[in-house]
Amino acid sequence: MAEEGISRRKLLIAGGATVVVGTAALAYREELSRLWWQVPGVDRQRTDGEVDQPGAEWIAASRSNLRYADRPDDYRIDRIVVHVTEGSFDTAVRVFRDPMHAAAAHYVIRAKDGHVTQMARELDVAYHAGNREYNERSIGIEHEGFVDRPSSFTKVMYESSARLAADICARYEIPVDRKHIIGHDEVPRATHTDPGRHWDWDRYMKLVRAAAEKQKA
């Protein structure tokens, strides 16, 4: 009877330990799920000031607004997401550098001259789309302007953005079409309305295709 009692006690202790460990593991997995955006990717060697787009100016976004990764090795890049800042170029750059903003795009394009500023490396996941999967698979391009002011979408900005988009498509073999170059408002579960009804998609895509053809020539 003594041996039987000891066995039962050991069994109860072991069973209780299993329950505790299992519960702890479940809680740990749930915590990781909630904190997915804080998990770093592969820290590939980076050089300060290095850009992916020739001619772009580098101004780093806050690390809190992006996640280090190793794209396209860990996440396939197959989308470009077009954004409109709903504010000035300087404001967009400032808020993307603010760690409390919790968002940033890879590029910001200035309206008056088409100047391109890169704020996140293309290999990294920037928080721009409001959708985890789309953040991981896309590159975000912000355009200085307002969705209700078509005049803010300047000729030089369209042309500059089109060249950038064509180069990105070439780098990652992204088809130059509206399935793969989309607006923020077309991202599933998106809450934003940019680039809005005044963004001239026909004009923009024509420019992107022309830039892509020029690359091939």
Side-chain angles (χ1 to χ4, degrees):
M1 291 296 294
E3 288 297 325
E4 184 181 356
I6 292 172
S7 297
R8 287 177 178 172
R9 183 169 180 272
K10 288 180 178 179
L11 181 62
L12 288 171
I13 292 173
T18 300
V19 170
V20 170
V21 171
T23 302
L26 179 60
Y28 180 67
R29 285 197 300 271
E30 290 176 347
E31 182 67 12
L32 284 180
S33 177
R34 286 194 295 271
L35 300 179
W36 64 267
W37 60 87
Q38 296 182 9
V39 179
V42 177
D43 285 351
R44 184 190 294 181
Q45 184 64 43
R46 290 163 168 78
T47 302
D48 288 345
E50 187 175 18
V51 295
D52 298 291
Q53 181 66 14
E57 176 189 18
W58 174 255
I59 300 178
S62 170
R63 276 289 308 275
S64 299
N65 300 334
L66 56 90
R67 172 159 48 101
Y68 272 9
D70 191 21
R71 302 191 306 169
D73 290 341
D74 50 2
Y75 301 107
R76 179 183 61 173
I77 298 175
D78 65 359
R79 293 287 190 282
I80 293 172
V81 179
V82 172
H83 301 263
V84 171
T85 60
E86 285 297 287
S88 71
F89 172 87
D90 291 339
T91 298
V93 170
R94 184 174 68 252
V95 298
F96 290 166
R97 299 184 71 188
D98 181 355
M100 300 301 292
H101 186 62
H106 294 88
Y107 294 97
V108 185
I109 301 182
R110 194 162 56 204
K112 69 177 182 179
D113 57 4
H115 176 76
V116 178
T117 293
Q118 183 169 1
M119 302 198 69
R121 290 292 307 278
E122 291 177 3
L123 57 86
D124 293 329
V125 176
Y127 306 152
H128 66 96
N131 177 308
R132 176 181 177 177
E133 179 188 357
Y134 274 70
N135 283 339
E136 291 173 344
R137 70 192 300 180
S138 68
I139 291 173
I141 305 176
E142 284 278 1
H143 300 81
E144 180 183 22
F146 298 86
V147 297
D148 60 350
R149 299 182 197 171
S151 61
S152 63
F153 305 147
T154 64
K155 177 178 182 290
V156 67
M157 185 173 70
Y158 271 121
E159 292 172 344
S160 177
S161 178
R163 288 192 296 271
L164 171 60
D167 286 349
I168 293 169
C169 287
R171 279 195 281 276
Y172 304 104
E173 300 182 345
I174 301 172
V176 181
D177 59 35
R178 284 284 285 116
K179 180 180 178 181
H180 297 86
I181 302 175
I182 64 173
H184 193 180
D185 54 355
E186 296 173 292
V187 173
R189 300 183 298 281
T191 58
H192 289 235
T193 60
D194 59 305
R197 62 188 179 91
H198 295 300
W199 181 262
D200 192 336
W201 278 109
D202 290 339
R203 176 185 184 184
Y204 183 65
M205 294 304 300
K206 183 177 179 180
L207 288 168
V208 177
R209 292 187 189 100
E213 288 300 319
K214 189 175 181 179
Q215 289 176 345
K216 299 175 184 177

